């Protein structure tokens, strides 16, 4: 499938919390697709640090300047959400080889469930290559400065939730 400015894409994830790496990917995708729905999983297997509504607020403020990007919560299967949005593509960020196994498995399973929706992998810029929500939570937990990795409201949110 050729990415095109007429296509709609979804960008699903836990976003617990959103990082500059995610925002980088959203910005790239917003230039490739007509419309992007950033879809925050409200029912992941992982126990999230931030409630879904808080993750939603963080992302909404991060994409405020991008008119073709909308952020929503979703539950259930991601392919069902993609169908509901009439999306042709599913975006996933890919950084290191270590991401590949899980991402490849998920992309193939989703393609079996819905052959019309293709996964498109986007690499973040080198500047954000090493970033992950997990790493950021760990840095924040031990009192490290995360202001270079996440927007100011997220850094504040991390400080608050961790010192609670
Ligand atoms: O940011 P994450 O945690 O890697 O995102 C994973 C996510 C939420 C995209 C994935 O777990 C998902 O799609 N969950 C919804 C349920 C579903 O459709 N599972 C089958 C995927 S093959």
């Amino acid at each position: 499938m050729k990415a095109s400015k007429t296509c709609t894409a979804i960008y699903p994830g836990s976003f617990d919390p959103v990082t500059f790496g995610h925002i980088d990917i959203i910005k790239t995708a917003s230039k490739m697709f007509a419309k992007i729905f950033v879809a925050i999983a409200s029912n992941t297997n992982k126990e999230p640090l931030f409630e879904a509504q808080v993750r939603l607020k963080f992302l909404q403020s991060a994409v405020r300047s991008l008119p073709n990007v909308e952020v929503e919560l979703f539950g259930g299967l991601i392919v069902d959400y993609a169908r509901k949005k009439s999306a042709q593509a599913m975006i996933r960020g890919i950084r290191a080889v270590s991401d590949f196994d899980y991402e490849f498995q998920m992309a193939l399973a989703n393609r079996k469930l819905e052959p019309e929706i293709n996964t498109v992998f986007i690499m973040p810029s080198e500047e954000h290559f090493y970033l992950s929500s997990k790493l950021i939570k760990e840095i924040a937990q031990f009192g490290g400065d995360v202001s270079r990795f996440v927007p100011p409201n997220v850094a504040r949110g991390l400080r608050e939730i961790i010192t609670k």
Side-chain angles (χ1 to χ4, degrees), residues 94-103:
I94 196 142
R95 294 158 302 186
V97 181
S98 53
D99 284 343
F100 193 75
D101 258 2
Y102 168 62
E103 292 299 335

Side-chain angles (χ1 to χ4, degrees), residues 31-81:
K31 292 179 205 142
M32 295 166 67
F33 295 95
K35 177 87 191 178
I36 315 278
F37 291 98
V38 179
I40 305 174
S42 53
N43 61 337
T44 71
N45 291 331
K46 305 173 191 168
E47 184 61 45
L49 179 65
F50 290 102
E51 281 177 24
Q53 285 298 337
V54 177
R55 286 179 277 146
L56 176 71
K57 266 202 207 126
F58 286 159
L59 259 154
Q60 279 171 333
S61 79
V63 304
R64 229 179 0 222
S65 62
L66 302 170
N68 62 338
V69 179
E70 228 175 282
V71 189
E72 291 184 342
L73 299 176
F74 82 95
L77 281 179
I78 191 57
V79 288
D80 290 337
Y81 176 82

Side-chain angles (χ1 to χ4, degrees), residues 1-9 29 31-35 88:
M1 190 205 72
K2 195 164 162 257
S4 124
K5 271 293 216 181
T6 60
C7 284
T8 295
K31 292 179 205 142
M32 295 166 67
F33 295 95
K35 177 87 191 178
Q88 295 86 7

Side-chain angles (χ1 to χ4, degrees), residues 11-16 22 39-46 74-80 90-92 102-103 105-111 113 133:
Y11 178 31
S14 309
F15 303 105
D16 183 40
H22 296 128
I40 305 174
S42 53
N43 61 337
T44 71
N45 291 331
K46 305 173 191 168
F74 82 95
L77 281 179
I78 191 57
V79 288
D80 290 337
M90 184 177 316
I91 294 156
R92 290 290 289 173
Y102 168 62
E103 292 299 335
Q105 212 177 12
M106 198 154 72
L108 289 176
N110 281 330
R111 195 167 67 182
L113 292 170
S133 300

Side-chain angles (χ1 to χ4, degrees), residues 14-19 22 95 131-138 158:
S14 309
F15 303 105
D16 183 40
V18 62
T19 71
H22 296 128
R95 294 158 302 186
L131 279 183
S132 74
S133 300
K134 185 169 172 244
L135 200 79
I136 282 155
K137 283 183 277 194
E138 197 171 304
L158 276 164

